[in-house]
Amino acid sequence: MDVTTGMFYAFSAVLLFAAFRVITARNPVYAALYLVLAFFQASGIWILLKAEFLAITLVLVYVGAVMVLFLFVVMMLDINVDSLRQGFWKHFPLAGGLGALIALEMAAVLMGGFRGSEAPKMLSVKGLMGGETGARISNTKDLGRLLYTDYLYPLEIAAVILLVAIIAAIALTLRKRKDSKYLNPAEQVRVQARDRFELVKMQATTKTIAGNAEGVAAESANASQSAAAAGAGAKP
């Protein structure tokens, strides 16, 4: 067994362990971190298979963007793990059967493809002197050439669809709602001091201190007379 085969088995073992922990971890944050580990191991396998473009894309897109977004969402949401685990064993037989069926189908397709395929051969190009020399072909260069020559129109259509999706998401997010408070930055910049502060002259609506004192004294006298009358009426 050579070094490449050993690294393939090592990456595959860690990938299977990480994938198993993704579905068995109780904490959603731990499950997302195990999924990041699984993506890194898959990118290592892609590099061993001479598909460096797919490996770098897997790390940059899924690990660098998608999984970071998942981690932010999972950490910001208050997820009740106990409620998520309710009914797990009730649906486990159906989920296990479907998982086993998918695994068998993937194994049949992959094993059949491996048996029918041959090892890739190195292309030979003619040198300047007329002799044939082996040349290494870059997967990234070939993929870019195919995308921008044979598949140029499908690539442009996919780009337009993604652009429309981005514009639609922004339009749906920034729609006007009655409960949202929105300020126009241009109006805030042009505002002046007299527009923010205004003096208003109002008539006094409260009583004077002397009037208040006389009212309090009258109320006290009335209360004393009422108490004295009540005490006189209570005597035998």
Side-chain angles (χ1 to χ4, degrees):
M1 185 174 63
D2 55 354
V3 179
T4 304
T5 306
M7 294 179 66
F8 174 78
Y9 282 117
F11 286 147
S12 301
V14 179
L15 176 59
L16 292 176
F17 170 75
F20 178 75
R21 288 296 298 161
V22 168
I23 61 176
T24 56
R26 296 184 177 182
N27 194 335
V29 178
Y30 291 166
L33 292 177
Y34 277 116
L35 188 56
V36 172
L37 178 60
F39 284 150
F40 272 112
Q41 303 307 310
S43 64
I45 294 176
W46 281 116
I47 291 176
L48 293 178
L49 296 176
K50 306 299 182 181
E52 63 276 358
F53 178 77
L54 294 178
I56 297 300
T57 303
L58 185 63
V59 173
L60 293 180
V61 176
Y62 285 93
V63 178
V66 178
M67 288 313 304
V68 172
L69 178 62
F70 283 177
L71 282 175
F72 274 114
V73 172
V74 169
M75 294 176 68
M76 286 190 297
L77 294 178
D78 188 10
I79 300 176
N80 190 1
V81 182
D82 297 332
S83 62
L84 293 177
R85 294 183 63 87
Q86 291 179 358
F88 175 78
W89 295 108
K90 179 181 179 181
H91 303 287
F92 179 76
L94 179 60
L98 292 177
L101 180 61
I102 294 173
L104 291 176
E105 290 177 353
M106 292 180 63
V109 172
L110 293 177
M111 295 304 295
F114 288 155
R115 292 193 188 97
S117 61
E118 297 179 356
K121 297 179 180 179
M122 184 178 293
L123 299 178
S124 60
V125 294
K126 292 184 178 181
L128 297 177
M129 303 302 295
E132 292 184 355
T133 58
R136 294 184 178 273
I137 305 300
S138 174
N139 293 327
T140 306
K141 185 177 180 180
D142 291 341
L143 183 60
R145 184 177 300 167
L146 287 175
L147 286 177
Y148 292 102
T149 53
D150 297 340
Y151 299 96
L152 179 60
Y153 291 111
L155 181 65
E156 291 181 351
I157 293 173
V160 171
I161 293 174
L162 290 176
L163 179 61
V164 171
I166 293 173
I167 295 175
I170 295 174
L172 291 175
T173 305
L174 296 180
R175 66 183 186 274
K176 293 183 178 180
R177 297 183 303 178
K178 296 181 179 179
D179 57 346
S180 62
K181 297 180 180 180
Y182 174 74
L183 297 177
N184 191 355
E187 295 179 358
Q188 295 294 318
V189 172
R190 292 195 300 266
V191 73
Q192 296 180 3
R194 62 175 178 271
D195 298 331
R196 293 181 179 271
F197 184 75
E198 182 179 0
L199 292 176
V200 178
K201 186 176 182 181
M202 299 179 64
Q203 297 294 331
T205 57
T206 59
K207 297 180 180 180
T208 59
I209 299 177
N212 292 335
E214 292 177 357
V216 171
E219 291 179 358
S220 300
N222 292 332
S224 301
Q225 292 177 0
S226 300
K235 292 181 179 180

